[in-house]
């Protein structure tokens, strides 16, 4: 019986992490599903759906040599597998402002009150040490409509957060 797992890997960024890890998974007979891999603040992070015949402990054991060799922290969670279950976003929220504590919470709490399903959130801190600014982009599904999202986020602008909301047009077919 095959099992699906969400494999999370974190380690100092260096060339070859993806190649080494996916080679180990290939050699173990793993089937790879959806993945998100990116560099965050000098660390490389991987979230990867993996399917195989091993248990979660078996997968961790299989990857322990690679983790030790490359200084990676590996976390494995059993998940309901399945591919091709994409949800298409219909709203994109761009946020820019002076970097300060609480920006993410303020914006996402407004979105949660509108039952916006956040599908992705990317952020970065730019500028210089003395004057950092925060940039965030959120894509999601706005069941209340994009206009409702725009109106609900309007009060944040008065607090110095630049918020822009746009409809995502997706062509399917």
């Amino acid at each position: 019986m095959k099992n699906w797992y969400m494999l999370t890997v974190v380690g100092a960024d260096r060339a070859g992490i993806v190649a080494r890890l996916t080679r180990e998974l290939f050699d173990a007979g793993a089937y790879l599903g959806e993945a998100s891999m990116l560099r965050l603040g000098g660390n490389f992070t991987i979230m990867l759906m993996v399917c195989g015949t091993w248990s979660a402990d078996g997968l961790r054991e299989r990857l322990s040599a690679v983790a030790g060799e490359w200084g990676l922290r590996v976390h494995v969670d059993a998940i309901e597998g399945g591919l091709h279950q994409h949800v298409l976003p219909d709203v994109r929220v761009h946020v820019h402002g002076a970097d300060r504590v609480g920006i993410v919470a303020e914006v996402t709490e407004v979105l949660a009150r509108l039952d916006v399903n956040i599908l992705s959130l990317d952020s970065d801190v730019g500028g210089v040490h003395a004057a950092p600014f925060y940039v965030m982009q959120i894509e999601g599904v706005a069941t209340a409509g994009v206009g409702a999202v725009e109106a609900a986020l309007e009060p944040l602008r008065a607090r110095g957060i630049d918020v822009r909301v746009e409809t995502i047009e997706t062509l399917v077919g």
Side-chain angles (χ1 to χ4, degrees):
M1 179 178 157
K2 293 194 173 198
N3 304 304
W4 279 97
Y5 301 98
M6 183 61 69
L7 173 64
T8 307
V9 179
V10 178
D13 187 31
R14 63 192 255 206
I17 293 173
V18 175
R20 182 66 182 95
L21 185 71
T22 56
R23 168 54 62 188
E24 189 68 25
L25 290 167
F26 174 75
D27 290 345
Y31 178 82
L32 306 184
E34 299 169 15
S36 179
M37 303 181 190
L38 69 155
R39 185 178 194 275
L40 296 171
N43 297 289
F44 194 74
T45 63
I46 297 172
M47 289 188 302
L48 174 64
M49 292 175 63
V50 177
C51 183
T53 56
W54 355 261
S55 65
D57 287 338
L59 179 56
R60 273 188 286 275
E61 178 61 29
R62 178 71 192 212
L63 298 175
S64 65
V66 174
E69 173 187 339
W70 287 71
L72 304 173
R73 292 179 304 279
V74 173
H75 184 83
V76 177
D77 289 301
I79 61 170
E80 290 293 321
L83 303 174
H84 315 290
Q85 299 176 12
H86 300 280
V87 176
L88 298 176
D90 63 3
V91 65
R92 182 176 297 124
V93 178
H94 301 270
V95 178
H96 300 90
D99 186 33
R100 63 173 173 76
V101 174
I103 293 175
V104 176
E106 289 180 57
V107 173
T108 57
E109 286 170 353
V110 169
L111 298 176
R113 283 194 294 271
L114 290 174
D115 202 27
V116 172
N117 182 10
I118 296 174
L119 301 176
S120 68
L121 185 156
D122 294 307
S123 67
D124 201 354
V125 178
V128 295
H129 186 69
F133 62 89
Y134 193 76
V135 179
M136 177 171 59
Q137 179 174 295
I138 298 170
E139 292 187 353
V141 178
T143 54
V146 174
V149 173
E150 176 80 32
L153 291 171
E154 180 63 31
L156 296 179
R157 292 186 180 106
R159 290 188 280 197
I161 301 173
D162 179 27
V163 180
R164 188 168 42 92
V165 179
E166 66 184 21
T167 300
I168 297 175
E169 301 291 339
T170 303
L171 298 175
V172 177

